[in-house]
């Protein structure tokens, strides 16, 4: 049931060039973490020297994983990243089990992980956006409950803005994301040059220890790398939007090879700057390293750090929402989610129903509160799905050996990435056995319960047609014409 004939050529448009692709990666990888809490890696490393080694090696490992996705993005030219690769590699292997991994991936990302992440990130944006004005607005004297409500209201406003941007047009998203990408890199450079100035005037005592005190315990070393690698998460983001990248076979590998080393350099030198100004003990105990650094090193320009956090988090939330709506779009095309989630606005070429759904889910998480634990129990699955995507790469090498691969990663790279993904999936469970992982398992099982009747047996309630018609009228959307079979 449709409201109008489908316009010729309706679908996602390739409107993003190389610079925009680079900015997508930068936007997702650089959030609040590098400004707020780069402390766990230092605590487990035990020395400033080994901590810098950890940050550097983690950047290299992230690049290896990203290069695996670069090959997958050229072999499977669809949006959706891990989801698209899993469905392509395994859907024909078994009628029930083949499509199940891709559905579980979409189920976790779309229904819980990404909207919960957006909610946490946008609340961080709200908190730091008012910090530079706390004296002007008299917020120091505001009761804690009122301040929490103010942060939540600003967060809801921020969520409304990013949802509007992603509903409006890809070009608007690209423009705003490029501006925010530049601003957040500038904020990182402020920290770095602040550290360089401190070194230039002779403040080197905090670095004098070098590798003294380095933890040699395999468990501590593993946790140091675990925390470092989590800070680099987001390197796969450009492959989530493959269908909107111009010349993806060229621009996806290039964007990865440019963006990930840039971020590695920023992260390593920002940590060096923090260590130059803050003693190791203070840095480990700090709740917001960037803020403490700004107060100590930037003087009257200290406001640039909370402003940088606000810019970084807003851009990060904007890009995460942009990406997950494309996962919704592809999963819907495959019949694994409601069909209208793949519908495209007749004039704006945006998947409006998918964007609106993600906005509504993130809003629900903001209103509910206490979502950090929710993210914790689902986050360890991110690297599980990264590993599953690498298995898909190896499977596609075997089942589709003759497919043209504009970029082909050396075989040792996927094996290294697979080992890292197994490590990062297992470490949090072993190091902190907790009932929250049973909740993760329960959520996965609930996905199987949804998958069996509605995806495998294709049960279709009668009200679906009415809902589809309502969505088409409300959002002015039509079925996409560029589904890849």
């Amino acid at each position: 049931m449709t409201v109008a004939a489908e316009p010729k050529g309706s679908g996602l448009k390739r409107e993003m060039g190389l610079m925009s692709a680079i900015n997508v990666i930068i936007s997702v990888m650089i959030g609040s973490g590098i400004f707020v809490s780069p402390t766990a890696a230092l605590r487990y490393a035990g020395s400033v020297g080994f901590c810098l080694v950890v940050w550097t090696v983690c950047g290299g490992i992230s690049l290896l994983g990203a290069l695996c996705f670069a090959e997958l993005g050229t072999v499977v030219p669809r949006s959706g990243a891990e989801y698209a690769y899993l469905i392509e590699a395994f859907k024909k292997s078994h009628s029930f089990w083949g499509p199940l991994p891709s559905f579980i991936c979409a189920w976790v990302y779309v229904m819980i992980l990404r909207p919960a992440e957006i909610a946490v990130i946008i609340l961080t944006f709200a908190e730091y956006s008012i910090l530079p004005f706390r004296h002007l607005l008299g917020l120091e004297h505001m009761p804690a409950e009122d301040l929490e409500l103010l942060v939540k209201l600003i967060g809801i406003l921020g969520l409304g803005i990013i949802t509007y941007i992603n509903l409006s047009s890809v070009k608007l998203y690209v423009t705003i994301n490029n501006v925010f990408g530049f601003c957040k890199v500038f904020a990182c450079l402020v920290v770095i040059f602040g550290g360089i100035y401190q070194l230039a005037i002779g403040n080197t005592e905090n670095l004098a220890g070098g590798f003294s005190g380095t933890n040699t315990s395999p468990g501590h070393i593993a946790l140091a790398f675990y925390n470092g690698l989590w800070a680099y998460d987001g390197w796969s983001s450009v492959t989530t939007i493959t269908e909107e990248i111009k010349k993806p076979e060229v621009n996806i590998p290039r964007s990865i090879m440019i963006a990930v080393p840039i971020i590695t350099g920023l992260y390593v030198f920002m940590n060096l700057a923090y260590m130059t100004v803050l003693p190791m003990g203070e840095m480990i105990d700090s709740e917001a390293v960037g803020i403490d650094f700004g107060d100590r090193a930037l003087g009257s320009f200290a406001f640039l750090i909370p402003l940088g956090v606000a810019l970084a988090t807003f851009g990060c939330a904007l890009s995460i929402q942009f990406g997950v709506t494309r996962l919704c779009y592809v999963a819907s095309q495959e019949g694994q989610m409601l069909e209208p989630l793949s519908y495209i606005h007749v004039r704006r070429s945006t998947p409006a129903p998918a964007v609106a759904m993600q906005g509504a889910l993130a809003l629900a998480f903001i209103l509910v509160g206490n979502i950090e634990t929710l993210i914790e129990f689902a986050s360890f699955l991110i690297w599980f799905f990264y590993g599953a995507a690498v298995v898909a790469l190896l499977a596609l090498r075997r089942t589709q050996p003759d497919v043209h691969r504009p970029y082909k990663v050396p075989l040792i790279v996927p094996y290294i990435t697979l080992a890292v993904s197994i490590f990062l999936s297992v470490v949090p469970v072993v190091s902190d056995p907790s009932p929250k992982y049973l909740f993760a398992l329960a959520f996965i099982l609930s996905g199987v319960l949804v998958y069996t009747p509605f995806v495998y047996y294709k049960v279709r309630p009668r009200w679906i047609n009415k809902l589809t018609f309502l969505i088409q009228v409300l959002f002015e959307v039509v079925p996409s014409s560029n589904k890849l079979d």
Side-chain angles (χ1 to χ4, degrees):
M1 181 180 294
T2 58
V3 295
E6 181 185 337
K8 184 178 179 180
S10 63
L12 300 178
K13 309 298 182 185
R14 297 194 184 277
E15 300 185 57
M16 304 178 70
L18 177 61
M19 285 304 301
S20 298
I22 292 170
N23 261 315
V24 168
I25 300 174
I26 289 174
S27 289
V28 177
M29 289 185 73
I30 303 179
S32 63
I34 192 61
F35 294 99
V36 177
S37 56
T39 57
L42 176 60
R43 180 169 64 252
Y44 290 116
S47 68
V48 294
F50 186 57
C51 182
L52 293 175
V53 170
V54 167
W55 281 99
T56 305
V57 173
C58 287
I61 293 172
S62 299
L63 180 59
L64 295 182
L67 293 177
C68 293
F69 275 64
E71 176 180 330
L72 284 164
T74 59
V75 174
V76 185
R78 301 189 69 179
S79 298
E82 301 97 297
Y83 174 85
Y85 311 144
L86 291 171
I87 197 74
E88 178 67 23
F90 303 121
K91 70 177 178 180
K92 296 180 182 178
S93 61
H94 189 278
S95 60
F96 181 86
W97 298 107
L100 182 59
S102 57
F103 176 80
I104 295 300
C105 176
W107 179 251
V108 171
Y109 279 179
V110 170
M111 301 304 297
I112 289 285
L113 189 53
R114 295 311 187 202
E117 281 183 343
I118 291 167
V120 168
I121 293 168
I122 208 69
L123 286 173
T124 304
F125 154 77
E127 182 178 351
Y128 280 87
S129 65
I130 61 177
L131 271 182
F133 311 105
R134 60 187 184 277
H135 298 300
L136 181 64
L137 300 176
L139 299 180
E140 300 96 329
H141 310 296
M142 180 178 287
E145 297 82 3
D146 293 344
L147 185 60
E148 183 179 349
L149 178 61
L150 176 62
V151 167
K152 188 168 287 191
L153 290 174
I154 293 174
I156 292 171
L157 176 61
L159 176 63
I161 292 172
I162 69 169
T163 303
Y164 172 78
I165 292 168
N166 285 328
L167 279 171
S168 295
S169 77
V170 174
K171 287 184 178 179
L172 179 61
Y173 161 78
V174 168
T175 300
I176 293 175
N177 192 53
N178 288 347
V179 171
F180 275 80
F182 172 82
C183 290
K184 66 171 65 178
V185 170
F186 176 76
C188 293
L189 292 175
V190 167
V191 173
I192 292 170
F193 282 106
I196 291 173
Y197 173 75
Q198 294 297 319
L199 287 173
I201 63 175
N203 287 342
T204 60
E205 60 272 16
N206 294 336
L207 304 177
F211 288 86
S212 177
T214 297
N215 281 322
T216 56
S217 163
H220 282 92
I221 293 172
L223 287 169
F225 278 99
Y226 171 73
N227 284 280
L229 284 166
W230 275 119
Y232 281 95
D233 187 46
W235 42 259
S236 67
S237 51
V238 72
T239 57
T240 310
I241 57 171
T242 299
E243 292 174 55
E244 289 159 285
I245 302 293
K246 298 174 183 176
K247 298 181 180 178
E249 70 282 358
V250 174
N251 286 330
I252 286 179
R254 284 183 181 174
S255 64
I256 286 169
M257 292 176 190
I258 293 171
V260 176
I262 286 174
I263 292 168
T264 301
L266 291 174
Y267 280 9
V268 171
F269 285 105
M270 286 180 74
N271 273 277
L272 179 61
Y274 293 148
M275 295 168 183
T276 301
V277 173
L278 301 172
M280 184 172 168
E282 286 187 31
M283 187 170 167
I284 290 174
D285 294 336
S286 174
E287 294 184 1
V289 173
I291 301 297
D292 290 343
F293 171 88
D295 291 341
R296 192 77 59 86
L298 299 181
S300 58
F301 293 97
F303 72 92
L304 290 174
I305 301 301
L307 182 61
V309 175
L311 294 171
T313 48
F314 185 89
C316 184
L318 176 67
S319 289
I320 290 176
Q321 188 189 74
F322 185 87
V324 72
T325 57
R326 274 56 184 176
L327 196 161
C328 293
Y329 169 82
V330 175
S332 176
Q333 287 184 327
E334 290 292 339
Q336 293 196 347
M337 288 198 168
L338 289 174
E339 182 183 333
L341 294 178
S342 67
Y343 288 6
I344 299 295
H345 194 279
V346 292
R347 295 182 305 278
R348 297 170 181 167
S349 298
T350 59
V355 175
M357 185 191 77
Q358 283 301 305
L361 286 173
L363 175 61
F365 285 124
I366 288 176
L367 295 176
V368 167
N370 268 336
I371 48 184
E372 286 82 358
T373 302
L374 188 66
I375 289 181
E376 285 177 6
F377 87 69
S379 289
F380 81 101
L381 293 172
I382 291 176
W383 272 92
F384 174 83
F385 290 123
Y386 285 164
V390 173
V391 173
L393 183 151
L394 298 172
L396 289 169
R397 287 264 187 108
R398 181 174 56 85
T399 59
Q400 301 180 20
D402 299 325
V403 170
H404 176 57
R405 288 171 167 80
Y407 173 80
K408 190 172 183 179
V409 73
L411 192 58
I412 186 64
V413 173
Y415 284 114
I416 293 173
T417 305
L418 182 59
V420 171
S421 68
I422 293 171
F423 164 73
L424 288 176
S425 300
V426 171
V427 163
V429 181
V430 173
S431 63
D432 181 25
S434 169
K436 65 189 176 187
Y437 299 116
L438 295 177
F439 289 115
L441 179 61
F443 187 73
I444 290 173
L445 292 176
S446 70
V448 177
L449 294 177
V450 172
Y451 169 83
T452 303
F454 298 112
V455 178
Y456 182 68
Y457 287 109
K458 294 180 170 50
V459 173
R460 184 182 174 91
R462 292 182 179 180
W463 51 264
I464 289 293
N465 286 338
K466 294 182 180 179
L467 176 64
T468 300
F469 178 79
L470 177 63
I471 290 174
Q472 286 195 266
V473 172
L474 184 62
F475 291 101
E476 298 184 81
V477 292
V478 295
S480 170
S481 63
N482 61 356
K483 178 179 177 180
L484 299 180
D485 297 320

